[in-house]
Amino acid sequence: MQTAYALRILAWLDQLLPREWVYALAEGAASLALPLLERRRIRIRNNLQRIHPEHSPSQLNQDTAEVIAETARYYVDLAILPSVSSRRVLDDHLHVTGLDHLLDSHGSGRGVVLTTAHISNPEVAVKALAALDIPAVALVERLDHPRHLEAVNAAREAVGIEFLTATQTGIASALRTLREGGVVCILWDRDRQGGGTCVPFFGRQARFPVGAVDLALRAEADVLPLYAVRRPGRDRLQFDVSFMPPLDLLVKGNRALDTRTNTANLARLFEPIIEKHAHLWRVAESPWAPCRDTPWDDLHPRDHPAEVAHD
């Protein structure tokens, strides 16, 4: 129950102190905890080195500390966002682009799989859905510590939508939501449950979950990528939220191949985004290790030069 207590303390502090002080306290605690998080720090640094091999050791260390600080800020968000109305978050804290992509997809009557990566706080976009009265559920990974998941989900659900664990029951409920024209929110970039597939990612094979693509194919829904980035500055509760056009899904009739190909396209789409915001990418596990960190030698289909017809 440590997570639940920590969230309550942060929410209590938010009532007593200026909000920027609460974030500063969390960032300071994260900095002090670095020696206790050595294994996690090394894994994060290794990920950053894979993304930015050109960075100096000091730059990698700095970015690693920033990832850990951003994780601390995420928990502050989790504690205080339930007390802020969805409309106020949308109007005062989110700077949204591409919202028409979401509104068009949802307005078509098709289900929408809204998918993103662990950059800053991906859940702030859920507040926008609640403010716009768009029916949605979120499908989240199972964790090793059920009490931690219970505490986190309790805080998440205060934003106005239901969070489902990715069990057989949760997946069935998510499919019903999509087939009824609703929205399912899911993260695509961390395969904690081990059922993912190896696809190209920064020049090597990396394993990612296939849930976002699999749900969309099964429900004939759109896959709509988005990402949220915390803005620098004194007010930590400011985010740039970008909705992107629906993924152009390849459907050839081979479910396994279609799922893998479209997951590869999703990873390819997010590569430059993660490269730009690697210091905010809160993934501590190596996605490359499960694929034996082997190079990806084949060209992506989009990289093959067009054939020139000869007479």
Side-chain angles (χ1 to χ4, degrees), residues 3 7 74-75 78 147-157:
T3 303
L7 292 175
Y74 165 78
Y75 280 100
L78 205 60
R147 289 186 176 181
H148 173 79
L149 179 60
E150 181 181 344
V152 170
N153 278 353
R156 286 166 167 169
E157 288 184 348

Side-chain angles (χ1 to χ4, degrees), residues 1-170:
M1 296 298 290
Q2 292 179 350
T3 303
Y5 290 139
L7 292 175
R8 288 175 194 159
I9 290 170
L10 288 169
W12 175 70
L13 288 173
D14 185 55
Q15 300 299 315
L16 296 178
L17 303 173
R19 185 159 290 165
E20 59 265 27
W21 291 15
V22 181
Y23 281 101
L25 286 170
E27 292 165 3
S31 179
L32 292 174
L34 279 175
L36 304 176
L37 302 172
E38 184 62 11
R39 291 180 64 183
R40 182 182 184 89
R41 189 192 71 82
I42 290 173
R43 291 196 300 266
I44 292 171
R45 190 182 188 280
N46 288 343
N47 286 348
L48 293 174
Q49 189 169 32
R50 173 71 67 209
I51 295 168
H52 286 294
E54 77 282 3
H55 280 185
S56 66
S58 61
Q59 182 65 55
L60 290 171
N61 290 339
Q62 180 180 335
D63 287 348
T64 301
E66 182 63 15
V67 172
I68 293 174
E70 184 64 8
T71 302
R73 296 181 199 115
Y74 165 78
Y75 280 100
V76 177
D77 297 342
L78 205 60
I80 66 178
L81 278 175
S83 66
V84 186
S85 72
S86 298
R87 175 52 62 179
R88 184 179 169 194
V89 170
L90 179 59
D91 292 343
D92 298 342
H93 299 283
L94 304 185
H95 308 270
V96 181
T97 59
L99 185 59
D100 56 311
H101 297 307
L102 172 61
L103 297 178
D104 289 347
S105 285
H106 181 251
S108 72
R110 293 164 58 90
V112 179
V113 176
L114 200 58
T115 189
T116 186
H118 288 81
I119 300 172
S120 287
N121 184 349
E123 293 156 22
V124 295
V126 172
K127 280 280 194 177
L129 297 180
L132 296 169
D133 293 324
I134 295 177
V137 299
L139 198 62
V140 297
E141 61 197 357
R142 287 175 288 180
L143 299 180
D144 296 333
H145 304 288
R147 289 186 176 181
H148 173 79
L149 179 60
E150 181 181 344
V152 170
N153 278 353
R156 286 166 167 169
E157 288 184 348
V159 306
I161 73 167
E162 183 181 6
F163 279 74
L164 306 171
T165 305
T167 60
Q168 186 173 356
T169 301

